[in-house]
Amino acid sequence: AMGTVYRARHQLIGREYALKLIGGPVASSDVRNRRFLREAQATAQLEHPHVVRLVYSGVTMAGEPYLVMELLEGPSLAAEVAKGPLEPRRAARIVQQLAQGLAAIHARGFVHRDLKPSNVILVPTPRGEVAKILDLGLVGALEPDPSEVRLTQHGHVMGTPLYMAPETFTTQSFRAQADLYSLGVILA
């Protein structure tokens, strides 16, 4: 709902990237743009092997913000789970890597708020499969600044209900434990 991701090739160097453009029905263009900016700022602060890497962000000539991220080749965790239960050791490796990625997100003062299998890509590498967390479109601060304007209106639920901690339905504040709950649901 927050955007569309395209495979893009840099014209001069020929390297491929993931290009995320705003799209979809979001409350207002101002809120949409501020969420997108917050996603860019949070992702830019994260340099971790289990979190997607932001390469660049900017604004198109039409005034629409965009993100350029590393291109991740591999299936989503959702696609792998749809094939049937994962082998327990593989599942444990994936969850361990996701926990490390979440630890990096939390250490920077953020909470993901929408961790789910479709927001995880499994990248095959010569040294083994690497799980990467992506889509920080709903990222929030662990310690919100009281002077900061809230982007989620009171009474609105943002996230994927199946993976959300119960307390997130009744409160506007998210804690790191909510992400860990989501991780537990993924493991289940």
Side-chain angles (χ1 to χ4, degrees):
M2 279 293 294
T4 304
V5 180
Y6 299 94
R7 181 184 209 113
R9 181 184 306 273
H10 191 287
Q11 290 181 337
L12 295 176
I13 62 174
R15 188 168 183 173
E16 292 187 326
Y17 297 95
L19 174 66
K20 183 174 183 179
L21 299 170
I22 283 185
V26 180
S28 73
S29 62
D30 182 49
V31 169
R32 176 187 66 188
N33 289 343
R34 285 191 288 161
R35 272 195 202 285
F36 213 72
L37 176 61
R38 187 167 58 190
E39 177 181 5
Q41 291 170 335
T43 308
Q45 293 181 43
L46 297 165
E47 284 288 331
H48 193 273
H50 300 297
V51 179
V52 67
R53 185 174 51 84
L54 180 72
V55 176
Y56 185 79
S57 66
V59 179
T60 68
M61 293 173 64
E64 293 291 324
Y66 65 88
L67 304 177
V68 179
M69 296 170 287
E70 68 177 314
L71 180 64
L72 300 174
E73 301 274 3
S76 70
L77 180 56
E80 289 298 289
V81 170
K83 296 176 186 175
L86 299 180
E87 184 270 322
R89 286 189 183 168
R90 180 182 184 205
R93 281 191 303 274
I94 291 168
V95 168
Q96 179 183 28
Q97 291 177 17
L98 296 178
Q100 291 169 353
L102 283 176
I105 291 169
H106 298 157
R108 282 296 191 172
F110 299 109
V111 60
H112 188 282
R113 294 180 47 180
D114 197 24
L115 186 65
K116 58 188 175 184
S118 61
N119 283 342
V120 175
I121 297 293
L122 303 173
V123 182
T125 72
R127 295 189 333 199
E129 184 175 66
V130 175
K132 293 256 193 176
I133 298 170
L134 38 114
D135 195 356
L136 279 83
L138 295 181
V139 71
L142 282 172
E143 299 290 333
D145 182 344
S147 66
E148 187 177 285
V149 176
R150 294 197 61 84
L151 299 180
T152 304
Q153 295 177 2
H154 185 69
H156 286 87
V157 176
M158 298 293 287
T160 306
L162 181 62
Y163 297 94
M164 292 171 61
E167 67 272 15
T168 61
F169 291 97
T170 59
T171 180
Q172 289 286 312
S173 63
F174 281 75
R175 298 180 321 172
Q177 290 87 339
D179 282 344
L180 298 178
Y181 178 92
S182 300
L183 183 61
V185 174
I186 289 171
L187 179 60

PDB file of all heavy atoms in Angstrom, residues 40-59:
ATOM      1  N   ALA A  40      13.049   6.259   4.539  1.00  0.00           N
ATOM      2  CA  ALA A  40      14.374   6.531   3.977  1.00  0.00           C
ATOM      3  C   ALA A  40      15.383   6.848   5.075  1.00  0.00           C
ATOM      4  O   ALA A  40      16.500   6.324   5.078  1.00  0.00           O
ATOM      5  CB  ALA A  40      14.302   7.686   2.977  1.00  0.00           C
ATOM      6  N   GLN A  41      14.999   7.690   6.022  1.00  0.00           N
ATOM      7  CA  GLN A  41      15.913   8.078   7.093  1.00  0.00           C
ATOM      8  C   GLN A  41      16.280   6.881   7.965  1.00  0.00           C
ATOM      9  O   GLN A  41      17.442   6.713   8.339  1.00  0.00           O
ATOM     10  CB  GLN A  41      15.286   9.192   7.937  1.00  0.00           C
ATOM     11  CG  GLN A  41      15.182  10.501   7.199  1.00  0.00           C
ATOM     12  CD  GLN A  41      14.354  11.527   7.933  1.00  0.00           C
ATOM     13  OE1 GLN A  41      13.480  11.199   8.738  1.00  0.00           O
ATOM     14  NE2 GLN A  41      14.610  12.800   7.658  1.00  0.00           N
ATOM     15  N   ALA A  42      15.298   6.053   8.301  1.00  0.00           N
ATOM     16  CA  ALA A  42      15.573   4.883   9.140  1.00  0.00           C
ATOM     17  C   ALA A  42      16.459   3.887   8.402  1.00  0.00           C
ATOM     18  O   ALA A  42      17.450   3.401   8.954  1.00  0.00           O
ATOM     19  CB  ALA A  42      14.265   4.220   9.571  1.00  0.00           C
ATOM     20  N   THR A  43      16.104   3.581   7.162  1.00  0.00           N
ATOM     21  CA  THR A  43      16.873   2.592   6.392  1.00  0.00           C
ATOM     22  C   THR A  43      18.297   3.076   6.161  1.00  0.00           C
ATOM     23  O   THR A  43      19.237   2.277   6.188  1.00  0.00           O
ATOM     24  CB  THR A  43      16.170   2.277   5.060  1.00  0.00           C
ATOM     25  OG1 THR A  43      14.797   1.935   5.312  1.00  0.00           O
ATOM     26  CG2 THR A  43      16.829   1.110   4.347  1.00  0.00           C
ATOM     27  N   ALA A  44      18.475   4.373   5.978  1.00  0.00           N
ATOM     28  CA  ALA A  44      19.818   4.921   5.753  1.00  0.00           C
ATOM     29  C   ALA A  44      20.723   4.732   6.972  1.00  0.00           C
ATOM     30  O   ALA A  44      21.942   4.633   6.833  1.00  0.00           O
ATOM     31  CB  ALA A  44      19.725   6.408   5.404  1.00  0.00           C
ATOM     32  N   GLN A  45      20.137   4.663   8.157  1.00  0.00           N
ATOM     33  CA  GLN A  45      20.923   4.494   9.379  1.00  0.00           C
ATOM     34  C   GLN A  45      21.294   3.042   9.655  1.00  0.00           C
ATOM     35  O   GLN A  45      22.062   2.764  10.570  1.00  0.00           O
ATOM     36  CB  GLN A  45      20.141   5.035  10.578  1.00  0.00           C
ATOM     37  CG  GLN A  45      19.951   6.528  10.545  1.00  0.00           C
ATOM     38  CD  GLN A  45      19.203   7.008  11.763  1.00  0.00           C
ATOM     39  OE1 GLN A  45      19.476   6.574  12.879  1.00  0.00           O
ATOM     40  NE2 GLN A  45      18.260   7.902  11.559  1.00  0.00           N
ATOM     41  N   LEU A  46      20.744   2.138   8.878  1.00  0.00           N
ATOM     42  CA  LEU A  46      20.950   0.714   9.144  1.00  0.00           C
ATOM     43  C   LEU A  46      21.928   0.106   8.146  1.00  0.00           C
ATOM     44  O   LEU A  46      21.646   0.042   6.960  1.00  0.00           O
ATOM     45  CB  LEU A  46      19.608  -0.022   9.065  1.00  0.00           C
ATOM     46  CG  LEU A  46      18.587   0.416  10.107  1.00  0.00           C
ATOM     47  CD1 LEU A  46      17.206  -0.077   9.736  1.00  0.00           C
ATOM     48  CD2 LEU A  46      18.990  -0.079  11.480  1.00  0.00           C
ATOM     49  N   GLU A  47      23.040  -0.299   8.625  1.00  0.00           N
ATOM     50  CA  GLU A  47      24.025  -1.038   7.826  1.00  0.00           C
ATOM     51  C   GLU A  47      24.173  -2.388   8.494  1.00  0.00           C
ATOM     52  O   GLU A  47      24.969  -2.549   9.427  1.00  0.00           O
ATOM     53  CB  GLU A  47      25.366  -0.297   7.778  1.00  0.00           C
ATOM     54  CG  GLU A  47      25.378   0.892   6.853  1.00  0.00           C
ATOM     55  CD  GLU A  47      25.378   0.508   5.378  1.00  0.00           C
ATOM     56  OE1 GLU A  47      25.891  -0.572   5.026  1.00  0.00           O
ATOM     57  OE2 GLU A  47      24.846   1.303   4.579  1.00  0.00           O
ATOM     58  N   HIS A  48      23.364  -3.342   8.073  1.00  0.00           N
ATOM     59  CA  HIS A  48      23.394  -4.658   8.704  1.00  0.00           C
ATOM     60  C   HIS A  48      23.161  -5.726   7.645  1.00  0.00           C
ATOM     61  O   HIS A  48      22.354  -5.526   6.744  1.00  0.00           O
ATOM     62  CB  HIS A  48      22.326  -4.742   9.796  1.00  0.00           C
ATOM     63  CG  HIS A  48      22.495  -5.924  10.685  1.00  0.00           C
ATOM     64  ND1 HIS A  48      21.956  -7.155  10.381  1.00  0.00           N
ATOM     65  CD2 HIS A  48      23.168  -6.081  11.850  1.00  0.00           C
ATOM     66  CE1 HIS A  48      22.284  -8.016  11.327  1.00  0.00           C
ATOM     67  NE2 HIS A  48      23.019  -7.395  12.233  1.00  0.00           N
ATOM     68  N   PRO A  49      23.837  -6.859   7.745  1.00  0.00           N
ATOM     69  CA  PRO A  49      23.686  -7.895   6.716  1.00  0.00           C
ATOM     70  C   PRO A  49      22.297  -8.515   6.639  1.00  0.00           C
ATOM     71  O   PRO A  49      21.983  -9.183   5.657  1.00  0.00           O
ATOM     72  CB  PRO A  49      24.733  -8.946   7.100  1.00  0.00           C
ATOM     73  CG  PRO A  49      25.134  -8.653   8.498  1.00  0.00           C
ATOM     74  CD  PRO A  49      24.853  -7.211   8.746  1.00  0.00           C
ATOM     75  N   HIS A  50      21.433  -8.259   7.630  1.00  0.00           N
ATOM     76  CA  HIS A  50      20.098  -8.851   7.597  1.00  0.00           C
ATOM     77  C   HIS A  50      18.984  -7.805   7.463  1.00  0.00           C
ATOM     78  O   HIS A  50      17.826  -8.072   7.761  1.00  0.00           O
ATOM     79  CB  HIS A  50      19.880  -9.747   8.821  1.00  0.00           C
ATOM     80  CG  HIS A  50      20.878 -10.856   8.878  1.00  0.00           C
ATOM     81  ND1 HIS A  50      20.953 -11.833   7.907  1.00  0.00           N
ATOM     82  CD2 HIS A  50      21.868 -11.126   9.746  1.00  0.00           C
ATOM     83  CE1 HIS A  50      21.937 -12.662   8.196  1.00  0.00           C
ATOM     84  NE2 HIS A  50      22.517 -12.247   9.303  1.00  0.00           N
ATOM     85  N   VAL A  51      19.371  -6.616   6.992  1.00  0.00           N
ATOM     86  CA  VAL A  51      18.415  -5.544   6.707  1.00  0.00           C
ATOM     87  C   VAL A  51      18.757  -4.987   5.330  1.00  0.00           C
ATOM     88  O   VAL A  51      19.931  -4.762   5.020  1.00  0.00           O
ATOM     89  CB  VAL A  51      18.483  -4.417   7.765  1.00  0.00           C
ATOM     90  CG1 VAL A  51      17.497  -3.292   7.444  1.00  0.00           C
ATOM     91  CG2 VAL A  51      18.233  -4.963   9.164  1.00  0.00           C
ATOM     92  N   VAL A  52      17.727  -4.767   4.499  1.00  0.00           N
ATOM     93  CA  VAL A  52      17.959  -4.228   3.160  1.00  0.00           C
ATOM     94  C   VAL A  52      18.747  -2.921   3.269  1.00  0.00           C
ATOM     95  O   VAL A  52      18.565  -2.131   4.193  1.00  0.00           O
ATOM     96  CB  VAL A  52      16.621  -4.027   2.405  1.00  0.00           C
ATOM     97  CG1 VAL A  52      15.775  -2.943   3.040  1.00  0.00           C
ATOM     98  CG2 VAL A  52      16.859  -3.747   0.936  1.00  0.00           C
ATOM     99  N   ARG A  53      19.634  -2.700   2.306  1.00  0.00           N
ATOM    100  CA  ARG A  53      20.503  -1.516   2.329  1.00  0.00           C
ATOM    101  C   ARG A  53      19.954  -0.441   1.393  1.00  0.00           C
ATOM    102  O   ARG A  53      19.638  -0.701   0.235  1.00  0.00           O
ATOM    103  CB  ARG A  53      21.912  -1.902   1.902  1.00  0.00           C
ATOM    104  CG  ARG A  53      22.945  -0.780   1.995  1.00  0.00           C
ATOM    105  CD  ARG A  53      24.348  -1.294   1.694  1.00  0.00           C
ATOM    106  NE  ARG A  53      24.437  -2.035   0.462  1.00  0.00           N
ATOM    107  CZ  ARG A  53      24.594  -1.487  -0.748  1.00  0.00           C
ATOM    108  NH1 ARG A  53      24.664  -0.188  -0.876  1.00  0.00           N
ATOM    109  NH2 ARG A  53      24.675  -2.242  -1.828  1.00  0.00           N
ATOM    110  N   LEU A  54      19.832   0.776   1.920  1.00  0.00           N
ATOM    111  CA  LEU A  54      19.431   1.924   1.109  1.00  0.00           C
ATOM    112  C   LEU A  54      20.663   2.462   0.397  1.00  0.00           C
ATOM    113  O   LEU A  54      21.705   2.675   1.017  1.00  0.00           O
ATOM    114  CB  LEU A  54      18.822   3.019   1.990  1.00  0.00           C
ATOM    115  CG  LEU A  54      18.372   4.272   1.252  1.00  0.00           C
ATOM    116  CD1 LEU A  54      17.116   3.996   0.440  1.00  0.00           C
ATOM    117  CD2 LEU A  54      18.116   5.398   2.242  1.00  0.00           C
ATOM    118  N   VAL A  55      20.548   2.684  -0.902  1.00  0.00           N
ATOM    119  CA  VAL A  55      21.654   3.210  -1.699  1.00  0.00           C
ATOM    120  C   VAL A  55      21.499   4.710  -1.893  1.00  0.00           C
ATOM    121  O   VAL A  55      22.461   5.466  -1.802  1.00  0.00           O
ATOM    122  CB  VAL A  55      21.721   2.490  -3.075  1.00  0.00           C
ATOM    123  CG1 VAL A  55      22.799   3.084  -3.963  1.00  0.00           C
ATOM    124  CG2 VAL A  55      21.929   1.005  -2.887  1.00  0.00           C
ATOM    125  N   TYR A  56      20.263   5.144  -2.139  1.00  0.00           N
ATOM    126  CA  TYR A  56      20.022   6.552  -2.441  1.00  0.00           C
ATOM    127  C   TYR A  56      18.535   6.834  -2.271  1.00  0.00           C
ATOM    128  O   TYR A  56      17.709   5.939  -2.415  1.00  0.00           O
ATOM    129  CB  TYR A  56      20.440   6.852  -3.892  1.00  0.00           C
ATOM    130  CG  TYR A  56      20.352   8.299  -4.283  1.00  0.00           C
ATOM    131  CD1 TYR A  56      21.334   9.200  -3.902  1.00  0.00           C
ATOM    132  CD2 TYR A  56      19.281   8.770  -5.033  1.00  0.00           C
ATOM    133  CE1 TYR A  56      21.251  10.541  -4.256  1.00  0.00           C
ATOM    134  CE2 TYR A  56      19.187  10.102  -5.391  1.00  0.00           C
ATOM    135  CZ  TYR A  56      20.175  10.980  -4.996  1.00  0.00           C
ATOM    136  OH  TYR A  56      20.099  12.302  -5.337  1.00  0.00           O
ATOM    137  N   SER A  57      18.205   8.069  -1.984  1.00  0.00           N
ATOM    138  CA  SER A  57      16.807   8.493  -2.010  1.00  0.00           C
ATOM    139  C   SER A  57      16.756   9.877  -2.632  1.00  0.00           C
ATOM    140  O   SER A  57      17.735  10.618  -2.612  1.00  0.00           O
ATOM    141  CB  SER A  57      16.196   8.502  -0.609  1.00  0.00           C
ATOM    142  OG  SER A  57      16.798   9.488   0.192  1.00  0.00           O
ATOM    143  N   GLY A  58      15.613  10.186  -3.195  1.00  0.00           N
ATOM    144  CA  GLY A  58      15.478  11.479  -3.850  1.00  0.00           C
ATOM    145  C   GLY A  58      14.026  11.758  -4.178  1.00  0.00           C
ATOM    146  O   GLY A  58      13.115  11.077  -3.706  1.00  0.00           O
ATOM    147  N   VAL A  59      13.843  12.760  -5.024  1.00  0.00           N
ATOM    148  CA  VAL A  59      12.512  13.176  -5.445  1.00  0.00           C
ATOM    149  C   VAL A  59      12.530  13.292  -6.963  1.00  0.00           C
ATOM    150  O   VAL A  59      13.457  13.863  -7.541  1.00  0.00           O
ATOM    151  CB  VAL A  59      12.139  14.536  -4.803  1.00  0.00           C
ATOM    152  CG1 VAL A  59      10.767  14.998  -5.249  1.00  0.00           C
ATOM    153  CG2 VAL A  59      12.208  14.453  -3.293  1.00  0.00           C
TER     154      VAL A  59
END
